[in-house]
Each structure stands twice: as C-alpha cells, then as structure tokens.
Amino acid sequence: WNQIVLFTVLPGQSHHSVEEVVGVDKERLSIQGWFHFPQPGEPGYESDQMKRLWTSGAVSTLSQIEAKCQRESGCVGEDFAEYSQPIDDTVALSDEDRMLLSKYINPDYLSAKIVSQVAEKFAEDSHIQLATFLNAETAAVLESLLKQVDKFDDMDGIDIPPHGTGERGRWHAFGPPVIRRYMRLDGPAMANSAEGDAQIEVTTDAELRATELLAALRDDLFASGAYARWLSSITTLALSGSRGMVRRFRSGLDYTLGTPDGTKTTTLDAVLCFVDDPDQWADGVVGGYQCYVDGGNEDEASNDDSVYRASEEDGALLTTPAAWNTLSVVMREPGVVKFVKYVSASAPGSRWDVSF
C-alpha cells in the first residue's frame, strides 16, 4: 500500500511482471510509467550510455547475466544428438520398430492408412495434432499418477503455490526466470529456490512411478531410432538429430518467453502434452498453450525477445492448446520463436509434456 518502486529496465535484457492476482473481490491498483534515457538528438544523449550502464554491473542480477549469456550463445539446453546418418521416409518401419512403438503408441497411428492420411495433412499445413497418442493402457496409468502428484502439491486451481513446490527428487526448477521457469526432469536447478516449507523432500510412490514412466517416454520412445523413423514417415522430412526434455508447468508459477533457441535451420517440434480436465484448457483462458510467433529478423530476435510484433495474440502464427495425451508436430522455420503461456493459478492442475 502506498509504496513506490524504482528500477532500471534494459531493453531485451531485463524483464518484470506482476504476479497473478487471485482471490474473490481482490484488486491491485497502481500508477506506472517510465523515465527514458536521452534519445538521439536530445540533450544529454551519449552513444555508449546503455553499454556503460550494462557493463557497470550495477543493475545486473545473476539471472539477468545468465539470460544474457544464454541469448548470446543460443543455449537452451543440451546440444542436438546427431544420428549416425539422416533418417528419412524412404526407410520403412521394421518389425522391431513396430514392436517398440506399440509398447507406447496408439496402434491406430502405426497403420499404413493412418500414417498416409497424417502425412497428407501435415504436407498441407506443416503442423498437426494427434489426439489419444499413447495407447489406452499407458495413458490410463499416467493419468492416475499425474493426478495424484498434482493433488499432493495442492494444484487445486485456487491459490498460487509457493516457489519450490514440487522441486524434489529428479525434478528441478529450470530458468533463469527472466526468460522461463518450469520443472524439468533430470535437469539442473537454475530457477528460484524454495520458500519456507514449500520444498518437501518426501517423494510419493505415485511421483516415483510417474517419473519413471515419463523418463521412459523420453528415453525409450522419443529418443529412439524407431520413433524418428515413424516421425519421418508422417512428415516426409529427413531428420538429422534430436534433443528433448520432460517438463512440468505448475499452475500459478510457470511459463516461457519467446526466446530464440539458436537454431539456424528448419526444425521439427514434437510435443506430447498432458493436462487434467482438458475442456478447461481449450479456450486458453488458464494459459498453458504453446504459441508460435514471428520473432522478426535475427538481430531483433537476439536483442529483444520480449517484443512479439504487436501482441502475443495478434502476432501469433500458430497456437496449440494444452490437451490430454495429444502430440503436436510443428515444422518451425528459423526466426519463429515459441513460448508456453503462463499457467494461471485457476488452472485445474499442471501442464506436463515431453518436448522434443
């Protein structure tokens, strides 16, 4: 109440946000604005003023420095694991491939007829969403386990959980938070630490089993040669390598900004998403959708990833809503950036995904 806050904002280097306001009949009223540095042609302007301000370190936080370094290097995770030779749709799936894929994938997506139909649709649109992707047995087990984990962490669609919620075992918050925050399976801890008693070291049996199953989807399915050959067959694209991770976007906490990932060639995004009560996510009101926007030219994208040409909605090239057991396959050209919209505290649970 009645408090003023002053801080320096550097274009494309520092970000700030207001935490979601939750609760009945609660409002946040504020007066805000900016005092700009002198611009070219104005009294007091110096050509190196921004450079001197940044290099002084006086206004740099650790997360800003980490974010700046990652933008400059294009580093967003591991490097691509190159295949021994490119995989294309001229190589048919072997019986061994089908055996591995059928362990996880809905058998309909392994039939020649469906593969042909999917390939035709993808050729027209350069993107496609495949519902009920995992087979019924795998999906049912995972659904039960993920609901139990969200319940344990009080992801009930009411309050914002404390930072550090769910950060335990093989799950770590991944940042820096000026450009992204989400939970990553087997990833380094790079975001906010726990607050108070939020970090609970106890890992339930349901979480252990869910973690093992999600890790198997990442390592045994998505990273396999069999999956790459299947993916090539439905897209008719040649694939040279892959990288990926398992993520959890907690309600009231997690998001990503549209940050360039350093890729210079066309890439194929394949993201398998899981959310509870998908009807509540369909219109995007609670967030959690993945959005593709034009990041502008390379210089614009690298210098200011917070500017998306107009607004997130108006400049969107494609939006894929969060859904249950749905694989989104998108061909992404250089210069197109993607982000996962902040998941509102009113969401009925977490957004989980296997993202390659």
Side-chain angles (χ1 to χ4, degrees):
W1 170 257
N2 193 26
Q3 183 180 57
I4 187 170
V5 178
L6 302 174
F7 52 92
T8 303
V9 177
L10 299 178
Q13 305 295 349
S14 55
H15 305 270
H16 58 280
S17 64
V18 176
E19 189 174 64
E20 182 180 7
V21 178
V22 298
V24 180
D25 298 327
K26 297 289 185 180
E27 294 182 342
R28 179 187 189 276
L29 301 178
S30 65
I31 299 174
Q32 59 188 36
W34 294 265
F35 295 91
H36 290 282
F37 276 81
Q39 302 301 302
E42 296 179 348
Y45 172 77
E46 297 180 16
S47 60
D48 64 343
Q49 61 187 14
M50 296 304 294
K51 181 179 180 180
R52 287 190 289 107
L53 183 63
W54 176 260
T55 56
S56 69
V59 296
S60 304
T61 65
L62 176 60
S63 57
Q64 286 174 338
I65 294 171
E66 289 175 345
K68 183 174 183 289
C69 293
Q70 290 188 31
R71 288 190 191 93
E72 292 175 346
S73 65
C75 175
V76 292
E78 290 75 18
D79 294 332
F80 280 96
E82 301 292 336
Y83 301 136
S84 57
Q85 61 183 22
I87 295 174
D88 58 39
D89 62 332
T90 61
V91 180
L93 293 177
S94 66
D95 292 340
E96 187 178 63
D97 289 340
R98 293 181 179 278
M99 183 176 298
L100 186 151
L101 296 173
S102 64
K103 180 180 178 182
Y104 300 103
I105 296 179
N106 183 333
D108 289 345
Y109 291 123
L110 300 180
S111 73
K113 180 179 179 181
I114 297 298
V115 166
S116 177
Q117 292 174 350
V118 171
E120 182 178 349
K121 181 64 174 174
F122 184 85
E124 293 177 358
D125 300 335
S126 297
H127 64 85
I128 195 167
Q129 285 193 287
L130 305 179
T132 60
F133 179 70
L134 297 181
N135 59 42
E137 180 182 359
T138 303
V141 171
L142 192 58
E143 181 179 20
S144 174
L145 295 175
L146 296 184
K147 283 183 176 181
Q148 292 179 62
V149 177
D150 270 350
K151 182 178 180 180
F152 181 78
D153 287 331
D154 293 325
M155 298 289 170
D156 51 14
I158 300 176
D159 298 318
I160 297 177
H163 293 292
T165 297
E167 189 173 348
R168 54 183 176 264
R170 296 168 63 182
W171 292 91
H172 302 281
F174 189 64
V178 294
I179 55 176
R180 59 174 168 251
R181 181 173 62 221
Y182 52 81
M183 299 293 291
R184 179 177 171 185
L185 176 59
D186 297 328
M190 297 178 62
N192 293 357
S193 57
E195 296 177 351
D197 298 328
Q199 191 166 15
I200 303 174
E201 295 296 339
V202 176
T203 302
T204 64
D205 178 66
E207 182 170 329
L208 289 173
R209 292 170 59 201
T211 298
E212 291 174 357
L213 183 49
L214 288 168
L217 292 175
R218 179 193 63 194
D219 301 334
D220 299 342
L221 179 61
F222 275 65
S224 70
Y227 177 79
R229 285 185 283 275
W230 175 84
L231 196 60
S232 181
S233 70
I234 68 165
T235 61
T236 67
L237 299 175
L239 308 176
S240 59
S242 69
R243 67 179 177 191
M245 65 184 76
V246 176
R247 307 181 296 183
R248 179 190 185 187
F249 291 84
R250 301 157 295 177
S251 58
L253 290 176
D254 295 338
Y255 55 87
T256 67
L257 297 184
T259 305
D261 62 5
T263 55
K264 304 298 183 182
T265 60
T266 298
T267 56
L268 188 67
D269 294 335
V271 181
L272 177 57
C273 181
F274 306 97
V275 294
D276 187 29
D277 197 355
D279 288 344
Q280 290 196 42
W281 300 77
D283 60 6
V285 172
V286 299
Y289 56 81
Q290 183 149 288
C291 187
Y292 291 82
V293 297
D294 183 356
N297 62 42
E298 184 175 344
D299 291 336
E300 288 175 342
S302 61
N303 289 333
D304 190 355
D305 51 56
S306 64
V307 178
Y308 301 142
R309 295 196 177 216
S311 69
E312 292 173 1
E313 291 76 15
D314 295 340
L317 302 174
L318 174 68
T319 299
T320 58
W324 169 254
N325 189 19
T326 298
L327 180 71
S328 297
V329 183
V330 179
M331 185 171 69
R332 179 163 55 92
E333 298 178 351
V336 174
V337 297
K338 60 181 178 178
F339 64 90
V340 173
K341 181 68 173 178
Y342 166 79
V343 179
S344 169
S346 62
S350 301
R351 171 197 162 112
W352 308 76
D353 65 36
V354 182
S355 177
F356 269 64

